[in-house]
Amino acid sequence: MFAGEFRKQKALFAIADALAFVFAGALALILHDPSGAMRASAERADPQTLAEGVAIAALLWFGVFRAFDLYQMRNGSRKEAIAIIKACTVAAALMLLAAFAAHLEASRIFVGIFYLLSVPTVVVTRMLLRSVILHFYSSPGIATPLVIIGFNPLAHFLCDRIEEELTHYEIIGFIANGSLGREYCGYPVLGPPDQMRALQRAHPCLEAVVAIPDASLEEQAKMVDLCESEGVQWWAVPWVYRSAPTGFKVDSLGMIPLVGCRRSNIEGLNYMVKRSFDIICASIALIFVLPVLALAALAILMFDGSPILFRQQRIGAYGRRFEMLKFRTMTNRAADMVHRDFVQQWICEGDTADQNGHQPNGTEQRVFKLSNDPRISKVGRILRRFSIDELPQLWNVIRGDMSLIGPRPALPYELELYKDWHRRRLEGMPGITGLWQVSGRNQVSFDAMVRMDLAYLRDWSLTSDIRILLQTIPVLLRGNGL
């Protein structure tokens, strides 16, 4: 119904972006190099090297655009325009950084002009493509009338989404019992289901969406039979849609359709890619931070004594326990009841206890990771501020206990407080950093954190891991900790 068209649209928008980049590059070249010296230098360069450079630059820009979900956003919204500005900024910066790292001669002025031109050219090119697509979809032979069977929140949501997307469907209204005379967003209720025959005669290419998942299976089957008898192509929202808050995946075995809920996308080859990325990055990082590790260990030993490392049982993927390593930042024999109490309240009551330790009744109570927590040593405050205490977890990543990016590692005593859907965050390896840490950290409720974890696992891609790693850097530099 939509997937095929959306795939074609994504390809068209990618082509439009490519044309915009070519136009912006040519115009930048004309403005920066009116004498043609850069063009002459490019003509003298090795054709293979030049082609490889252009291909790498193109892949970089398209990769950044994809990372910013610009091929999901195609409706010309303000959000899309802001994403274009951000993506062009990041891509231009990465292009300069890559040229510097590879010791390539790249004119910063040319890249700057190209960047300034890329934003408006991409916006204008996408706007023109949208106009062409909408004109094509509105053609008499292409535009398809659509009626929604049902008048409920789900039917309203479907109506909103169809209006937001670029589609060839033209909604003519709703069909529902007992709602005649009502309307939603200007679309009226056209009458009860027995109006389907009249609607099909008025609109020979009519299609219908059966959006009554709360109705009995008998009632849903009756609506499908009605569409079949009147020659109306139909689509139906399955009754199990409420049981899969993270979405569905559709498969088939022979002629049997199979519908299941979407779980972690980190499986099969995706797991191999993520694990390889973890091992390579963690190994390189461990080599670079060895001096920092040595200084931190020496500082702890000199000012606080042994032990240097804090070892704690955590819950890994699918409930497997492992020993997580951190630099010790608290005094010896520090009680953990403060953290247990906070975790219990955080899970059971959401974000009623904020980072400053304020409770709903206005009283003060120390909570986890407070800078004024008396259990934290002087050296520990410095280590925590820049998350140096987390660096030993790179060894956990190499061992396979953790990942660089993933859900926050759970504590054993948390599990007894989890609801059933909370346990789904254990379907992936816990991470040193993650979507929660760079988005809100412990300023968000526990349920919001779990939803972020599930969204990360469900929509995982290598680009999302790279984006989260890049977002982690400014968090560390600001001294906010993880």
Side-chain angles (χ1 to χ4, degrees):
M1 184 175 183
F2 298 109
E5 285 296 313
F6 289 168
R7 280 194 295 269
K8 295 170 189 173
Q9 288 178 19
K10 290 175 184 178
L12 289 174
F13 273 84
I15 293 171
D17 290 341
L19 293 175
F21 297 151
V22 171
F23 180 79
L27 191 55
L29 196 62
I30 293 171
L31 293 174
H32 177 57
D33 185 39
S35 64
M38 288 182 65
R39 289 194 296 274
S41 177
E43 290 171 358
R44 291 193 300 270
D46 178 44
Q48 182 177 349
T49 303
L50 187 63
E52 289 174 353
V54 171
I56 291 171
L59 288 173
L60 187 150
W61 279 76
F62 282 117
V64 171
F65 268 47
R66 188 176 182 276
F68 278 85
D69 292 328
L70 278 168
Y71 297 112
Q72 301 293 337
M73 294 182 279
R74 305 179 300 276
N75 58 0
S77 64
R78 180 172 174 269
K79 182 180 178 182
E80 181 185 350
I82 293 172
I84 290 172
I85 296 171
K86 290 181 178 179
C88 288
T89 303
V90 170
L94 288 176
M95 193 161 67
L96 284 173
L97 187 63
F100 175 77
H103 304 288
L104 299 175
E105 294 184 6
S107 171
R108 285 173 289 181
I109 298 177
F110 169 76
V111 175
I113 296 173
F114 174 71
Y115 160 65
L116 293 175
L117 292 173
S118 65
V119 174
T121 51
V122 169
V123 170
V124 171
T125 306
R126 283 178 163 239
M127 182 179 65
L128 292 174
L129 177 59
R130 265 190 302 274
S131 299
V132 171
I133 291 175
L134 288 173
H135 179 74
F136 174 76
Y137 281 161
S138 63
S139 302
I142 304 298
T144 304
L146 180 72
V147 65
I148 300 175
I149 299 177
F151 194 75
N152 49 56
L154 176 63
H156 299 164
F157 176 75
L158 278 172
C159 178
D160 291 338
R161 289 307 308 270
I162 292 171
E163 285 295 292
E164 290 171 5
E165 298 284 353
L166 293 174
T167 74
H168 58 289
Y169 287 106
E170 294 183 352
I171 300 173
I172 61 175
F174 301 87
I175 282 181
N177 286 312
S179 299
L180 187 62
R182 299 177 65 185
E183 65 174 36
Y184 177 77
C185 292
Y187 297 109
V189 175
L190 303 170
D194 57 19
Q195 291 293 315
M196 185 68 76
R197 175 168 296 182
L199 291 173
Q200 198 279 332
R201 289 176 179 173
H203 306 279
C205 298
L206 182 68
E207 293 189 20
V209 178
V210 182
I212 48 173
D214 293 332
S216 65
L217 293 178
E218 182 181 354
E219 180 67 19
Q220 295 181 52
K222 184 179 178 181
M223 293 299 103
V224 170
D225 291 342
L226 176 64
C227 292
E228 286 285 344
S229 64
E230 299 299 339
V232 175
Q233 184 172 347
W234 56 271
W235 311 86
V237 178
W239 65 269
V240 293
Y241 92 101
R242 293 187 189 278
S243 303
T246 55
F248 288 100
K249 58 180 179 182
V250 180
D251 206 341
S252 61
L253 183 63
M255 295 295 291
I256 303 174
L258 301 171
V259 180
C261 62
R262 292 178 62 191
R263 294 293 181 100
S264 173
N265 192 36
I266 308 172
E267 57 185 9
L269 289 177
N270 282 352
Y271 174 80
M272 185 184 71
V273 170
K274 181 174 175 64
R275 183 72 187 126
S276 302
F277 178 76
D278 282 341
I279 293 173
I280 293 170
C281 292
S283 301
I284 294 172
L286 198 57
I287 293 171
F288 277 98
V289 302
L290 275 176
V292 179
L293 293 173
L295 288 173
L298 183 61
I300 294 171
L301 192 61
M302 288 178 60
F303 293 97
D304 297 323
S306 60
I308 294 171
L309 292 177
F310 172 66
R311 303 169 185 269
Q312 188 178 46
Q313 286 288 311
R314 294 287 182 124
I315 305 300
Y318 298 100
R320 184 175 65 86
R321 294 195 177 208
F322 69 97
E323 189 176 67
M324 191 181 77
L325 303 176
K326 296 179 70 172
F327 279 127
R328 184 172 60 84
T329 58
M330 290 186 176
T331 57
N332 278 320
R333 296 180 298 275
D336 68 344
M337 288 306 299
V338 174
H339 186 233
R340 284 178 180 257
D341 292 342
F342 168 67
V343 167
Q344 182 175 3
Q345 181 170 350
W346 186 40
I347 295 176
C348 296
E349 301 181 20
D351 55 356
T352 53
D354 64 23
Q355 270 192 310
N356 295 322
H358 293 97
Q359 303 300 310
N361 57 12
T363 61
E364 293 277 342
Q365 180 176 325
R366 305 291 186 190
V367 295
F368 189 50
K369 286 195 176 182
L370 285 178
S371 59
N372 59 351
D373 191 330
R375 300 174 299 164
I376 302 176
S377 65
K378 291 181 179 179
V379 174
R381 294 184 195 280
I382 299 173
L383 298 182
R384 284 194 172 204
R385 181 175 180 183
F386 297 101
S387 293
I388 297 173
D389 62 318
E390 310 279 355
L391 292 179
Q393 292 169 36
L394 290 170
W395 181 245
N396 286 118
V397 174
I398 294 173
R399 288 176 51 185
D401 299 324
M402 296 178 65
S403 174
L404 287 174
I405 297 96
R408 166 186 161 273
L411 289 155
Y413 55 77
E414 292 181 22
L415 297 186
E416 61 188 38
L417 303 173
Y418 277 16
K419 300 175 184 175
D420 289 342
W421 71 279
H422 289 162
R423 293 180 178 273
R424 290 175 54 190
R425 67 187 298 271
L426 303 177
E427 293 176 1
M429 281 197 295
I432 299 176
T433 184
L435 186 60
W436 177 63
Q437 285 90 332
V438 299
S439 301
R441 299 168 55 239
N442 51 351
Q443 296 176 16
V444 300
S445 68
F446 180 79
D447 284 359
M449 182 201 73
V450 174
R451 282 192 288 270
M452 290 183 192
D453 289 340
L454 297 182
Y456 168 77
L457 295 173
R458 181 186 68 232
D459 301 323
W460 178 86
S461 67
L462 185 59
T463 54
S464 69
D465 271 9
I466 295 171
R467 183 168 68 242
I468 291 172
L469 276 181
L470 293 175
Q471 290 174 332
T472 301
I473 295 173
V475 174
L476 297 178
L477 294 178
R478 288 196 299 267
N480 292 339
L482 289 177

